Amino acid sequence: MELERMAPREEWPDETEENDEKPEETPTNTCCDRFHQTISNWMLPSDLRDSYLERANCLPPPIFIILISIAELSVFIYYAVWKPQKQWITLGTGIMNSPLTYRYDKREEAWRFLSYMFVHAGVQHIIGNLFLQLLIGIPLELVHKGHRVGLVYLAGVIGGSLASSIFDPRKNLVGASGGVYALIGGYFMNVIVNFGSMVPLFGIFRILLIVLIVGTDVGFALYRRYIVHDTELQVSFVAHFAGAMAGMSIGYTVFTCFDKNLIKDPRFWICIAAYVAFLIFAALFNIFFFSAY
């Protein structure tokens, strides 16, 4: 009687089907994955994030920004220790005679138009620049790699010194603000153009953060220029402005070509042509017309 109450074999559950219905194991969401997710949210519009996350890794690491920051900090420490300062707010001793400092009376030494980025006027100056370039440069380099970030950074540095030599011709120059502002300018334009796809509230926060940072830094530059009168080296706001312009043109073009061949983008060549034309004009000005000022 017990056998009659058993269900037919056809109705028995299929063990194979049960095994097939087991959920697949999902990969673990590691700290590295969450870090890259955050980077993609800050640096890219929504339609490019998945493409970045598919190939995101820390190899190569953001080596350009890290090395340039170490070099700038090393030069600062060298001049601070080599000629001990009574205070480190302003390093007046030593850096005026540095072969790296841009000096208007030695502008024939062309390397100074680039090397001045390694020399800083004091603790506040070096900390401000290092903080900004690490905060913005590391995420940018993780997304766009070092050769692109380096191109934008150096374009801002050279553009800053050349613009200063034209519009502020009797002032010496130190600091990496031109390169830092190039990175800020490129990122700022990216946020503005892709505002709708970067979560509007989040986009507003980023814009306000950039305005706050830039306003504070420019305010410090104006303070050193017009209020502090006991220093030979004043931070040039012209270099800030020129660096930002380089970032808003070349930087914006480079940073919007995340998944594209930069060489095939006509916007890139237009920006490069305009930048080269500025370099030629600035070089001719410094060679032939500076003595008239």
Side-chain angles (χ1 to χ4, degrees), residues 22-43:
K22 289 182 179 179
E24 296 182 1
E25 295 184 0
T26 56
T28 305
N29 190 15
T30 64
C31 292
C32 185
D33 294 333
R34 291 193 294 272
F35 174 70
H36 284 294
Q37 181 69 55
T38 303
I39 294 296
S40 67
N41 290 338
W42 275 87
M43 295 292 138

Side-chain angles (χ1 to χ4, degrees):
M1 296 295 292
E2 192 70 19
L3 293 172
E4 292 177 2
R5 288 197 294 269
M6 294 180 64
R9 183 169 181 81
E10 301 89 87
E11 299 178 9
W12 291 4
D14 190 341
E15 295 181 0
T16 306
E17 292 180 1
E18 288 184 358
N19 292 336
D20 292 343
E21 292 176 0
K22 289 182 179 179
E24 296 182 1
E25 295 184 0
T26 56
T28 305
N29 190 15
T30 64
C31 292
C32 185
D33 294 333
R34 291 193 294 272
F35 174 70
H36 284 294
Q37 181 69 55
T38 303
I39 294 296
S40 67
N41 290 338
W42 275 87
M43 295 292 138
L44 292 169
S46 56
D47 58 329
L48 296 178
R49 291 172 192 163
D50 289 340
S51 176
Y52 166 71
L53 292 173
E54 287 175 1
R55 58 193 184 198
N57 58 67
C58 293
L59 297 175
I63 194 70
F64 173 81
I65 286 296
I66 291 175
L67 288 180
I68 209 75
S69 299
I70 292 174
E72 291 166 3
L73 182 60
S74 299
V75 171
F76 174 80
I77 293 174
Y78 171 78
Y79 281 108
V81 174
W82 175 55
K83 292 287 184 70
Q85 313 295 314
K86 295 180 180 179
Q87 43 76 29
W88 283 12
I89 302 302
T90 299
L91 299 188
T93 306
I95 56 177
M96 270 300 293
N97 297 322
S98 170
L100 303 176
T101 299
Y102 169 76
R103 289 178 50 171
Y104 72 88
D105 59 336
K106 294 188 176 183
R107 61 182 61 204
E108 69 278 1
E109 298 174 353
W111 70 83
R112 292 178 182 265
F113 285 91
L114 178 64
S115 64
Y116 77 96
M117 69 179 180
F118 295 109
V119 186
H120 288 78
V123 172
Q124 294 175 343
H125 196 198
I126 183 71
I127 290 178
N129 278 343
L130 289 182
F131 172 76
L132 288 176
Q133 71 186 31
L134 290 172
L135 177 68
I136 298 176
I138 286 179
L140 281 174
E141 191 166 343
L142 284 172
V143 173
H144 300 285
K145 303 307 177 185
H147 63 288
R148 293 190 175 191
V149 172
L151 172 65
V152 175
Y153 188 90
L154 295 179
V157 170
I158 297 173
S161 59
L162 288 174
S164 183
S165 72
I166 296 173
F167 299 105
D168 209 0
R170 295 289 178 178
K171 292 296 180 183
N172 301 318
L173 191 63
V174 295
S177 296
V180 173
Y181 271 68
L183 299 182
I184 294 175
Y187 177 64
F188 178 76
M189 285 296 294
N190 230 333
V191 173
I192 294 295
V193 173
N194 298 301
F195 185 81
S197 60
M198 284 186 161
V199 185
L201 185 60
F202 194 28
I204 292 173
F205 170 75
R206 277 181 284 196
I207 292 174
L208 291 177
L209 180 61
I210 292 172
V211 170
L212 176 63
I213 291 173
V214 170
T216 302
D217 194 54
V218 171
F220 174 65
L222 294 175
Y223 169 79
R224 290 188 59 83
R225 177 66 181 270
Y226 296 109
I227 298 179
V228 178
H229 301 292
D230 59 346
T231 176
E232 294 177 293
L233 285 171
Q234 299 168 330
V235 182
S236 173
F237 56 86
V238 175
H240 291 66
F241 179 77
M245 292 300 295
M248 294 173 72
S249 53
I250 296 177
Y252 166 68
T253 304
V254 169
F255 296 152
T256 53
C257 289
F258 163 69
D259 57 346
K260 300 177 183 177
N261 188 340
L262 187 63
I263 303 301
K264 295 182 179 179
D265 191 332
R267 299 176 305 164
F268 173 72
W269 292 110
I270 292 173
C271 291
I272 290 296
Y275 187 79
V276 170
F278 166 72
L279 293 183
I280 294 173
F281 170 78
L284 293 176
F285 173 88
N286 280 279
I287 293 172
F288 297 108
F289 300 108
F290 170 71
S291 59
Y293 281 75

